[in-house]
Amino acid sequence: MATSSAQTSATASATSARRPMRADARRNYERLLDEARRAFAEHGTDASLEDIARRAGVGIGTLYRHFPNRHALMSAVFQGAVDELLAHSYALADSEAPCTALVTWLRDIITHAGEYRGLARELMSASRDDSSALARCSTPMREAGERLLVRAQESGVVRPDVSIGDLMQLTNAIALAAEQAPDDPELADRLLTLTLKGLRPEEPKRP
C-alpha cells in the first residue's frame, strides 16, 4: 500500500524530533522560531516563509527541513501558549464553580487566538484535518476542555448535548469575528455572553 505524503511528513518529523540536533542546527531552529514569532505578530499567520528564512539568515530549504509546512511552523511557535492554556485548565479543574471555570478557560482561548491575525482561521481549518501539525496542539486542548465541560455538565449548569468540539469552533469563530472588528474591543465578550446563554439547560415548562 502506498504511503501518503502526510504520513511521510509526519514520520520524517517524528524521526527528526527524536534525533538530537547538532549545535548549528539548533541555532538555526531557534532563529527561525524567533523570526516566525515576529513575522506572525507583524503580518499575521500568512507571513512569507521566504522572508522568515531570510531574516533568520538561512535558506528556505533549511526552514522546510525543520518545519515541513506552515502549520508545522505555527505549531512550534504557539506551543508555549498552548502549554500555558493546558496548565491553566488543570488549575481550574477543581474549581468550586465549574461553569465559571469553563468560561474563564474559553475566554483564555479567545484571547490566545486573537493574538495573531489569521490564527483563529487556521485553527478552525486544522480542527477538520487530523493530518495538520496544528492538530497536535488542538487535540490536547480539546481533551483539557472536555474535562472542564463534563464537570460543568455534571453540575447541571451546562446542557448535556453540548460538545467540546462545538465550543472550540465557537471560540475560534468569536476570535475571528473580533479580529475583523478591531474598533470594537468588547465584541468578543458580547459574543461569548450570547454563546453562554445557549449552553444553559432549558427551563422546564410549567403546566
Side-chain angles (χ1 to χ4, degrees):
M1 183 173 62
T3 302
S4 71
S5 59
Q7 290 173 323
T8 301
S9 295
T11 301
S13 297
T15 301
S16 176
R18 290 193 297 267
R19 187 183 304 133
M21 287 187 192
R22 300 192 315 269
D24 57 339
R26 170 58 64 180
R27 285 193 295 272
N28 288 340
Y29 179 88
E30 296 296 343
R31 281 201 299 266
L32 284 165
L33 279 184
D34 287 343
E35 292 302 337
R37 289 188 187 97
R38 293 189 185 95
F40 290 161
E42 292 172 9
H43 308 294
T45 57
D46 58 353
S48 166
L49 298 187
E50 287 79 5
D51 283 348
I52 291 172
R54 178 181 53 78
R55 290 165 62 172
V58 301
I60 189 63
T62 298
L63 183 149
Y64 281 125
R65 278 196 295 275
H66 286 292
F67 310 103
N69 51 53
R70 183 178 297 274
H71 277 187
L73 178 57
M74 290 173 60
S75 178
V77 166
F78 303 133
Q79 188 58 56
V82 170
D83 290 342
E84 290 179 6
L85 287 167
L86 292 176
H88 196 196
S89 76
Y90 299 139
L92 292 167
D94 296 324
S95 170
E96 295 181 359
C99 187
T100 300
L102 175 64
V103 173
T104 297
W105 197 67
L106 294 177
R107 187 171 281 112
D108 286 347
I109 293 177
I110 293 171
T111 299
H112 163 58
E115 288 179 355
Y116 297 89
R117 189 174 70 254
L119 177 56
R121 182 185 65 246
E122 296 290 352
L123 290 173
M124 292 179 74
S125 174
S127 70
R128 300 186 295 272
D129 181 8
D130 290 339
S131 68
S132 168
L134 279 179
R136 290 198 296 270
C137 292
S138 62
T139 297
M141 291 281 285
R142 283 198 303 269
E143 293 171 351
E146 180 78 25
R147 288 190 291 270
L148 295 175
L149 173 60
V150 168
R151 286 198 71 235
Q153 289 170 325
E154 289 175 344
S155 72
V157 294
V158 172
R159 290 165 39 188
D161 60 336
V162 174
S163 73
I164 191 59
D166 287 348
L167 279 184
M168 298 291 281
Q169 285 290 70
L170 277 170
T171 54
N172 287 324
I174 289 172
L176 182 58
E179 178 185 304
Q180 303 301 316
D183 296 331
D184 187 356
E186 305 301 322
L187 178 61
D189 262 348
R190 293 202 309 274
L191 292 177
L192 182 58
T193 299
L194 286 173
T195 298
L196 297 177
K197 291 181 179 179
L199 298 181
R200 296 170 185 159
E202 292 183 2
E203 293 289 338
K205 294 181 179 179
R206 296 178 181 179

